[in-house]
Amino acid sequence: PPGPPGAPAAATRRSSRASTGSRAQAGAGAKAVVACRAVPMLHVGIVGYGLVGKELVSQVLANAAKLEKDLGVKVQITAVARSKTMVLLAPGGDSALANGAWPSVEVDADLSKLTDFVLAAAKASGGRAMMVDNTASDAPADMYEAWLAAGAHVATPNKRAGAGPYSRYEKIMAAARKGGSRFLYEATVGAGLPIVGPLQTLLKAGDEVTKVEGIFSGTLSYIFNTWKPGMKYSEVVNDAKNKGFTEPDPRDDLSGTDVGRKVTILARECGLKLELGDIPIKSLVPDALASWQPAAGESVGDGFVKQLEAYDAEMESLIADAEAAGEVLRFVGAIDLKAGTASVKLSRYPKDHPFAATQFADNIACFETKWYNPRPLVVQGPGAGAAVTAAGIFGNMLEVMNGMKNPSA
């Protein structure tokens, strides 16, 4: 800019150069600040390193670099616990887990020490901590409250917290609010199939959900999709067992308890204060076989299927009656929000109903709401398996990472 009137031209030029230099230095300083801004990091502690845990780690390692580029957020597996041992990894050390490997620097499993390690790593980097529980145990679920209150996010396919004692469930939710953290459990109901998320979105947007119905067991979906009139029910159950759809003891699936847990989770999401014991569950296990035990040396799965043969005629009459009426049999969990009740049972549906169109081991959920009426919102697809379950958990991790995005990314 020009100097004051009468100022020598040389002085004016010096003032202009000084001003330009100051602006250049300021610009360079701003760029330096941006360049030095730490990339946010999500430190993940994993409890449970079976099929789902290994698949999750594989998905994270395969996508970490791309996510850092796209979101400006780093994700690092900081610690992993198996049933008896665990590894606490140095920064950048999660590559030691590639291809399902287990590092040799293991120590005895101690969830308290693992928790402290992950929280300390997050504090040191200025990032956030996240705990992933891949077990089906109550022990990790008992720690959710402390994890969330300490500011660590929690993601899990474990149904024990969501369907366990309501008093614990309330404390977990309160701890998340207190800690500014998130309790994420999409994988508890549909594995990688989005069921919890769409329901939460409907409720937050102000829709009124009146009824939720669904086929929430991949095992029972496969059985009733496969079983046709003229086929022996016991043979279909045996086929499901041989293909790995059932638990080692098929009664764990046929009892309907797992479906009951999923229904409990969804009912609570809708605002019902239900306990698992409040939901009538019509088991597919004959009463006489509920406490049956295999002979010495006999496989429980093979022995149970053999015992089930005695009930083939009874089951044949059920499917024949449904077929005569133009209907199908499906094992369904249902929530009636107006009545405040829920149920789990084998039901009949017309062949043009969405449940009649399921294939293989599909899960499906139908949401009847004020907005989705008279036709419900339907979500359908694969709802079981390590890959899709891990994908559901990974999706919850991405939600957290999206909230941590670096503005300069």
Side-chain angles (χ1 to χ4, degrees):
T12 300
R13 287 194 295 273
R14 285 197 299 271
S15 174
S16 177
R17 286 196 297 270
S19 177
T20 301
S22 297
R23 287 197 297 270
Q25 290 174 353
K31 290 179 181 177
V33 169
V34 171
C36 293
R37 181 181 295 156
V39 176
M41 181 175 290
L42 180 64
H43 295 266
V44 182
I46 295 178
V47 181
Y49 198 55
L51 292 176
V52 173
K54 290 178 181 177
E55 176 64 29
L56 175 63
V57 168
S58 176
Q59 292 180 12
V60 171
L61 294 181
N63 290 281
K66 184 177 186 299
L67 289 172
E68 182 178 352
K69 179 181 178 182
D70 292 347
L71 302 179
V73 179
K74 288 184 178 180
V75 57
Q76 179 176 305
I77 309 298
T78 300
V80 182
R82 301 193 294 193
S83 57
K84 295 182 179 180
T85 60
M86 67 181 183
V87 289
L88 307 177
L89 301 168
D94 55 5
S95 59
L97 298 167
N99 301 313
W102 185 251
S104 59
V105 290
E106 64 180 10
V107 296
D108 290 343
D110 184 324
L111 293 189
S112 294
K113 290 182 180 178
L114 183 146
T115 301
D116 291 343
F117 185 82
V118 175
L119 289 172
K123 182 177 181 180
S125 75
R128 293 297 301 263
M130 184 173 206
M131 303 299 297
V132 176
D133 171 21
N134 295 315
T135 75
S137 169
D138 268 312
D142 284 336
M143 300 188 72
Y144 292 1
E145 182 183 354
W147 288 344
L148 292 161
H153 304 290
V154 174
T156 184
N158 186 351
K159 293 176 278 292
R160 296 287 178 169
Y166 192 82
S167 57
R168 180 175 66 181
Y169 174 81
E170 282 190 309
K171 291 177 181 177
I172 288 172
M173 294 302 185
R177 293 189 292 271
K178 176 183 177 183
S181 46
R182 300 183 66 186
F183 176 40
L184 301 160
Y185 44 93
E186 181 65 75
T188 59
V189 177
L193 188 68
I195 293 176
V196 174
L199 176 59
Q200 291 175 332
T201 299
L202 289 174
L203 295 170
K204 289 177 181 176
D207 199 358
E208 295 177 11
V209 179
T210 56
K211 189 174 185 179
V212 180
E213 274 191 309
I215 298 171
F216 300 119
S217 164
T219 301
L220 296 175
S221 178
Y222 176 80
I223 288 173
F224 288 100
N225 286 335
T226 303
W227 186 33
K228 299 293 187 292
M231 299 173 66
K232 291 184 177 180
Y233 175 69
S234 62
E235 291 181 355
V236 176
V237 173
N238 191 51
D239 173 59
K241 175 183 69 67
N242 291 338
K243 289 181 176 175
F245 282 108
T246 72
E247 295 294 328
D249 185 343
R251 290 175 295 184
D252 292 342
D253 300 289
L254 297 176
S255 70
T257 302
D258 188 61
V259 176
R261 291 193 178 101
K262 295 177 181 182
V263 168
T264 302
I265 291 168
L266 293 175
R268 290 176 176 179
E269 198 66 49
C270 293
L272 299 184
K273 296 182 178 181
L274 293 181
E275 298 283 3
L276 177 60
D278 296 330
I279 300 174
I281 300 173
K282 182 59 177 175
S283 173
L284 293 173
V285 179
D287 291 343
L289 298 183
S291 57
W292 168 86
Q293 293 298 318
E298 182 181 33
S299 160
V300 64
D302 293 340
F304 173 77
V305 169
K306 186 175 293 185
Q307 295 293 319
L308 198 61
E309 292 174 2
Y311 300 88
D312 280 340
E314 179 182 332
M315 296 300 290
E316 173 61 29
S317 67
L318 291 179
I319 196 169
D321 288 347
E323 179 69 19
E327 297 176 330
V328 297
L329 294 174
R330 296 292 186 263
F331 195 78
V332 170
I335 305 163
D336 186 332
L337 277 303
K338 291 182 178 179
T341 60
S343 64
V344 175
K345 61 184 178 180
L346 186 65
S347 301
R348 286 165 40 167
Y349 291 88
K351 290 188 176 181
D352 61 354
H353 190 280
F355 292 170
T358 52
Q359 300 178 19
F360 199 59
D362 278 356
N363 278 13
I364 185 170
C366 292
F367 302 100
E368 294 183 12
T369 78
K370 182 177 70 174
W371 296 344
Y372 289 90
N373 182 41
R375 292 178 59 79
L377 171 65
V378 178
V379 180
Q380 178 179 348
V388 292
T389 301
I393 302 166
F394 196 16
N396 283 155
M397 292 174 62
L398 291 176
E399 290 182 57
V400 169
M401 293 176 71
N402 269 309
M404 298 171 62
K405 279 195 296 190
N406 191 329
S408 64

